[in-house]
Amino acid sequence: MLVQGITGREGSFHTKQMLDYGTRIVAGVTPGKGGTEVYGIPVYDTVAEALKEHDVDASIIFVPAKFATDAMFEAIDNGISLVVTITEHIPVMDMLRVKRYAKLKGSRIIGPNCPGIIVPEEVNLGIFPPRAFRKGKVGIVSRSGTLTYEIAEIIKRDFGQSTVIGIGGDPIVGTTLDEVVEMFDKDPETEEIVIVGEIGGTMEEKVAKMKKEGKISKKIVAYIAGMTAPKEKRMGHAGAVVYMGMGTFESKIRAFKEAGIPVATTPYDILKLL
Amino acid sequence: MKLYEYEGKEIFKLVGIPVPRGVVTDKPIKWDGKAVVKSQLLEGGRGKKGLVRVTQDVYNTVLELQKLGVSKFLVEEYIPHDREIYLSCLIDREAVEPIIVASPEGGVDVERAKNIRIFHIPIERGVRDFDVLEIEKYLDVKGLKPIIQGLYRIVTEFEAELAEINPLAVTESGLVALDSKVILEDNALFRHQDLLEKLGRSYEKSDSYVELDGDIGIIGNGAGLTMATMDMVKLMGGNPADFLDIGGGAGSDKVEESIIRLAKNPKVKKIVMNVYCGITRCDEVAQGIIKALEKVKIPIYVRIVGTNEEEGRKLLSQRGISVYEDPITCIGDAVRS
């Protein structure tokens, strides 16, 4: 793994956390800090320079919002196939261009504004607090960071998790709910899937449609945050806002019910539905 | 950043969308002939609340509206028209593309409009004549080109989340935007200092505060968890008064500030706080709560787990503040109190 923005406050702190979890980080990048080290990891000025010395499968970005777009373009241009962007507050028009460019070049982006990916007891490519996770058979995909930790913790004792992916709370995300659900459906380590959705957008409705059409065979259970949110108000996440009636709580619940996906009334009811 | 109607219309003028002749005022003014006096508020539904008035007597209409608590007005010439249309531009999240939303039924609540169509206009090519022609045919109107191009520029160049005209009036002499709704994207404002200056606005650091109708203040860390907390309060028979996500990695100052912010709302009689610490630390949160409670005297029910949990709990218990590990009990106690 490569860490972009490794010398920053968040970058260096989470590099340590990820290393402690067993994640294999081989290099870091911070323009102007090439030649230094962070927890023994060599730092380079550019991604291209880091790749001359190391084999890298994935990059994680902790670069501040103003420069994070450049960091994503740089990773994509250097052929890194998986790019996890933790940074929040990236402008939507930037993300629109990044996502279209990543598709063109064959890179996968997770995030932005997300906690990353964790495979419990193996690899933490993100900012997950380890205490909530235990190796198991449930795949969790979530639009919300803290709610992911909460739900992981709730199912930790009885089920554990295969892989947990936080896709982020922004209007445009590199990887969508339905894409992750499809991957979980094919993943032999995953037996059941938990979706943590929220108001805004229509990603949840898309998953429901796939399930209804028989394209997903594994059991899915869901929770949707924002039942009581007033419309056209942004509820914390930039993506959690309902414009023109698209992506209301009701439309998501209706879609899940029609697809036979049980929906938990509170996050704490997820356990009963699995 | 939500813009006032008159600010949205300033941007309309900038991109070539025709608007009525008008003036912004905070006091009664003299005006010859028929006019529309429009209260400048950021909430919708002004018409239904009687805050938009067609009048021959602008001076006294402003006086009357001032008595209702309105402080800023847009006074515009009255535009006689035959038809009203709806048009807006925003980004389609699924397609990752700007879209134009059009309806021949203007002036109504677009969510209830039966006749509505979406036109995708990819960023790589921008608005083309064939797009305009298609939309014109659907709406049965001519002369849309500057308007479509203008809305598209507001979204793609000024980075608005939403640029909406509802209604767009069809008059004998052409099309006129009678209203404007423009929401600029907070994350992109740093690139649009010129525009902010032109509008006389400064860049405000946005927070996630949302006002609701009930009496319980809701605070949490992370948008999802805070929303879930709000929903649970409602499910358990309580009524949220407001919503605030302190965000990730908040220190004690941020926590203190956030609680004081909630408590400023006179409707808030008690506060439910639900925190799962990851980057954020429980002891920092506890210190913030303790500092806030020196200034505000409102009961607070805290559920706190995660990083430095024991230190945080201890600090709070020593001050006699209710601390919970289980959110359901915490919310239940708050609702029943």
Side-chain angles (χ1 to χ4, degrees), chain A residues 127-149:
Chain A
I127 57 170
F128 294 97
R131 64 163 268 168
F133 302 91
R134 186 177 74 82
K135 198 175 186 62
K137 293 288 183 188
V138 175
I140 304 178
V141 53
S142 170
R143 288 177 65 189
S144 151
T146 37
L147 207 47
T148 316
Y149 316 154

Side-chain angles (χ1 to χ4, degrees), chain A residues 147 195-199 204 222-227 248-249 252-253 256 263-265, chain B residues 228 231:
Chain A
L147 207 47
I195 293 177
V196 185
E198 59 189 30
I199 53 163
E204 292 85 351
Y223 170 73
I224 306 287
M227 179 183 74
T248 62
F249 180 80
K252 292 179 196 297
I253 296 292
F256 280 144
V263 184
T265 317
Chain B
D231 295 345

Side-chain angles (χ1 to χ4, degrees), chain A residues 89 91-92 94 100 131 144 146 150 153 171 201-202 223 226-228 230 232 234 237 239 243 245 265 268, chain B residues 93-94 96-97 111 124 161 181 183 185 187 191 221-225 228 230-232 234 276 303 309 327:
Chain A
H89 302 308
V92 167
D94 282 7
R100 290 172 85 93
R131 64 163 268 168
S144 151
T146 37
E150 186 84 57
E153 177 119 15
T202 52
Y223 170 73
M227 179 183 74
T228 58
E232 295 212 1
R234 180 177 300 102
H237 279 163
Y243 283 143
T265 317
Y268 312 93
Chain B
R93 304 172 181 200
E94 291 286 326
V96 196
E97 249 167 24
E111 290 178 27
E124 290 83 355
E161 285 173 24
K181 183 166 170 186
I183 304 171
E185 194 205 340
N187 292 338
R191 288 198 278 239
N221 68 327
L225 184 60
M230 173 180 79
D231 295 345
M232 280 190 287
K234 189 96 181 181
Y276 193 123
R303 181 269 182 151
E309 173 174 328

